Amino acid sequence: MKRTNNSGAGLSPTSARTVSCPSSGTLGTEWDNTFVHGIKRKGAQPGVPLDYSRYLRLRRQGSQKGGFAYVFPELSRINFRLAYTDQQLANLSITTARTLTTEHQEYRVSVDLTDESSLADALELAKLAYNAT
């Protein structure tokens, strides 16, 4: 993933690389055309940097649909742009995700990252959300 500046342009294009975790080894690779965006706060003055403190928005470059995932680091939570039901999650063998009934109606699936199983489910859901945007 690439971090973006205020304009949304990538700061440093990178080639695919692996991301590793000491306890489990390799988790995955970088996704092409994915950028991390901060949030422009209401009333922010021109030239004020984007805010990366509360959450990060993962967005597929060129998508008109907005972010495919919102990452809340302090909560260890990710909300995905998926309008799935509990039954659809069960059919995918996703056991650690829950459906949301509040917030934006297109972001209805959430995972709290608590262990390797929830991480695996989050990566699977991220792929689904990425491919849908």
Side-chain angles (χ1 to χ4, degrees), residues 7-68:
S7 69
L11 291 177
S12 57
T14 58
S15 59
R17 64 178 181 207
T18 59
V19 180
S20 62
C21 174
S23 64
S24 66
T26 299
L27 299 177
T29 59
E30 182 176 84
W31 294 347
D32 292 333
N33 299 320
T34 298
F35 288 81
V36 176
H37 293 269
I39 308 306
K40 183 175 182 179
R41 295 291 175 204
K42 289 183 180 180
Q45 299 297 318
V48 172
L50 297 176
D51 182 359
Y52 291 88
S53 64
R54 187 167 162 245
Y55 60 88
L56 305 173
R57 179 171 49 113
L58 304 182
R59 187 168 184 272
R60 186 176 186 172
Q61 182 182 15
S63 171
Q64 300 301 311
K65 295 185 178 184
F68 66 86

Side-chain angles (χ1 to χ4, degrees), residues 110-125:
S110 184
V111 173
D112 291 329
L113 299 174
T114 58
D115 57 21
E116 297 294 326
S117 178
S118 61
L119 178 60
D121 284 352
L123 289 171
E124 183 63 31
L125 291 166

Side-chain angles (χ1 to χ4, degrees), residues 50-131:
L50 297 176
D51 182 359
Y52 291 88
S53 64
R54 187 167 162 245
Y55 60 88
L56 305 173
R57 179 171 49 113
L58 304 182
R59 187 168 184 272
R60 186 176 186 172
Q61 182 182 15
S63 171
Q64 300 301 311
K65 295 185 178 184
F68 66 86
Y70 284 77
V71 179
F72 298 85
E74 287 186 5
L75 302 173
S76 298
R77 178 174 297 151
I78 305 173
N79 291 352
F80 297 98
R81 185 184 187 95
L82 295 169
Y84 285 17
T85 64
D86 289 330
Q87 185 59 51
Q88 287 171 304
L89 293 173
N91 291 345
L92 294 168
S93 299
I94 302 288
T95 60
T96 63
R98 67 184 180 287
T99 56
L100 304 173
T101 58
T102 60
E103 304 295 330
H104 195 284
Q105 60 186 335
E106 292 190 19
Y107 294 87
R108 295 295 184 171
V109 177
S110 184
V111 173
D112 291 329
L113 299 174
T114 58
D115 57 21
E116 297 294 326
S117 178
S118 61
L119 178 60
D121 284 352
L123 289 171
E124 183 63 31
L125 291 166
K127 289 176 193 174
L128 293 169
Y130 175 88
N131 289 333

